[in-house]
Amino acid sequence: MKALPVEPSHSQLAIGSRIRAARQAQRMTIEQVADSTGLTKGFLSRIERDLTSPSVASLVTLCEVLSVSIGELFTAPVTNLVRLDSAPRISLGGHGIKEHLLTVRSEHRVQMIRAVIEPHGKGESELYSVDCEVDVLHVVQGRLRLIMTHESYDLEPGDTMTFPGREPHSWSNDTDQETVVIWTLVSSQR
């Protein structure tokens, strides 16, 4: 099989922002990275702003200091788009509620659920919990009563309640208006 000739690209790969993000994730200053790598602060600053490209040797050293693989700098991130009109319907229980999963089903770290609750819609009669580390409830429209073991909270548009995911709770829309909420369920890293 004959190899196809490939013309080299003279466009520079923009990896500076990824290097900066890796440095910041390590909570290191440019000065600390300079001290650890032997590179100058000015050179590192130009790399982070994509004004210059490091040599392979400098890049290897940088990646070692920042605890990031070279491949991570060049790999495109995995992204997923879920449009509301095609988001799958789900049911976590309750009456008078329509729920859509806004994140892809394969995402296990975080799940976002958009719920439209009819007037006088209610959650389960018994308090329940969700298998996640953190549960975040944000009211987009209308009003919602969040019922916890020892207290109830009347939430209005713009209010956000954060609580442990395994905390027993329920909810009710005690108004004559439709309520729209976003539930965000955050799981522990696996």
Side-chain angles (χ1 to χ4, degrees):
M1 178 179 243
K2 184 176 177 183
L4 297 175
V6 177
E7 287 190 32
S9 169
H10 296 289
S11 64
Q12 182 179 353
L13 286 174
I15 60 170
S17 61
R18 289 187 174 184
I19 291 172
R20 181 184 309 110
R23 176 179 59 78
Q24 292 170 339
Q26 294 292 326
R27 301 194 189 298
M28 294 179 77
T29 65
I30 286 183
E31 185 172 357
Q32 290 169 322
V33 174
D35 291 343
S36 297
T37 61
L39 303 172
T40 67
K41 292 187 298 186
F43 182 63
L44 290 170
S45 175
R46 288 191 304 278
I47 290 171
E48 287 188 359
R49 291 180 289 145
D50 288 314
L51 298 177
T52 191
S53 297
S55 67
V56 172
S58 295
L59 189 59
V60 168
T61 302
L62 259 174
C63 288
E64 286 175 356
V65 168
L66 298 175
S67 300
V68 63
S69 73
I70 291 176
E72 287 178 61
L73 298 177
F74 299 98
T75 304
V78 176
T79 59
N80 295 288
L81 172 64
V82 176
R83 297 198 186 274
L84 180 58
D85 60 354
S86 61
R89 288 271 318 260
I90 61 170
S91 177
L92 295 178
H95 308 285
I97 183 170
K98 291 180 185 167
E99 298 166 301
H100 287 89
L101 182 62
L102 300 179
T103 48
V104 293
R105 290 184 188 272
S106 61
E107 178 57 71
H108 299 291
R109 297 165 297 178
V110 64
Q111 293 180 320
M112 292 182 66
I113 300 161
R114 181 178 188 266
V116 178
I117 305 165
E118 296 173 2
H120 305 287
K122 294 190 179 298
E124 301 293 326
S125 57
E126 291 188 26
L127 300 182
Y128 65 94
S129 63
V130 179
D131 185 21
C132 67
E133 289 295 314
V134 179
D135 203 331
V136 182
L137 170 63
H138 176 76
V139 179
V140 176
Q141 168 189 318
R143 299 180 186 281
L144 188 77
R145 173 168 281 183
L146 180 63
I147 304 156
M148 309 286 283
T149 305
H150 300 292
E151 194 168 355
S152 293
Y153 300 90
D154 292 319
L155 305 175
E156 300 178 354
D159 289 348
T160 302
M161 185 78 174
T162 304
F163 54 96
R166 292 176 183 86
E167 182 66 30
H169 64 279
S170 194
W171 50 267
S172 65
N173 175 4
D174 300 329
T175 72
D176 294 326
Q177 304 294 317
E178 183 176 82
T179 296
V180 178
V181 300
I182 302 290
W183 291 96
T184 303
L185 311 175
V186 182
S187 297
S188 61
Q189 296 296 329
R190 295 176 191 199

